[in-house]
Amino acid sequence: LEELQRAAIIQPKVALLSWSRFQTYLHNVDGLSDETLMTESWQEAAKLHEIAGQAKGMSGRTIRKLPFLAHAGYIQSPEATMDIFLEALSMTVATEQQSCLRLDTFADDKNKP
């Protein structure tokens, strides 16, 4: 996401929480103030964490392609906000998961006697 911000595909630039800082916050979420939970960087980190969970089981090669596929498949302009891009990324992960399931089902059907 930082690279996409550098390339001006995601505009305006948003300060992202580091993964380690987000994990620390996540383990102490009960102690966080409502103000912290409502910050843009916290909400975006939480959405990214959710997307990462959706991508569980995907190959590294597929995961590396997701930002490109999200931009090409769902964003109809040269740039997007972080919210829009994360939504496109989430939809892309869901589409890729469905594609993998269809391929697995097809392969299973071909191997049946």
Side-chain angles (χ1 to χ4, degrees):
L1 295 177
E2 289 172 348
E3 181 61 32
L4 294 172
Q5 289 186 94
R6 260 193 300 277
I9 292 171
I10 297 176
Q11 288 288 335
K13 289 185 178 182
V14 176
L16 299 169
L17 285 178
S18 70
W19 186 249
S20 62
R21 185 159 189 168
F22 177 71
Q23 289 294 317
T24 301
Y25 283 163
L26 195 60
H27 292 298
N28 299 310
V29 73
D30 292 334
L32 295 177
S33 68
D34 289 342
E35 185 177 304
T36 299
L37 293 173
M38 295 306 293
T39 62
E40 191 174 12
S41 60
W42 168 263
Q43 291 177 351
E44 288 164 350
K47 179 68 175 171
L48 191 55
H49 183 264
E50 178 185 321
I51 294 167
Q54 293 170 345
K56 199 170 196 171
M58 290 184 167
S59 71
R61 181 175 288 177
T62 299
I63 289 171
R64 280 190 300 276
K65 289 192 283 186
L66 291 173
F68 171 77
L69 294 172
H71 189 264
Y74 293 98
I75 298 174
Q76 305 301 315
S77 64
E79 61 185 47
T81 64
M82 183 66 77
D83 278 344
I84 290 171
F85 191 84
L86 289 176
E87 188 59 36
L89 190 59
S90 179
M91 290 187 293
T92 301
V93 170
T95 300
E96 289 299 304
Q97 289 287 21
Q98 287 298 320
S99 294
C100 289
L101 286 174
R102 283 194 301 272
L103 286 175
D104 288 346
T105 302
F106 177 73
D108 288 345
D109 288 346
K110 281 191 81 164
N111 292 328
K112 288 182 181 176

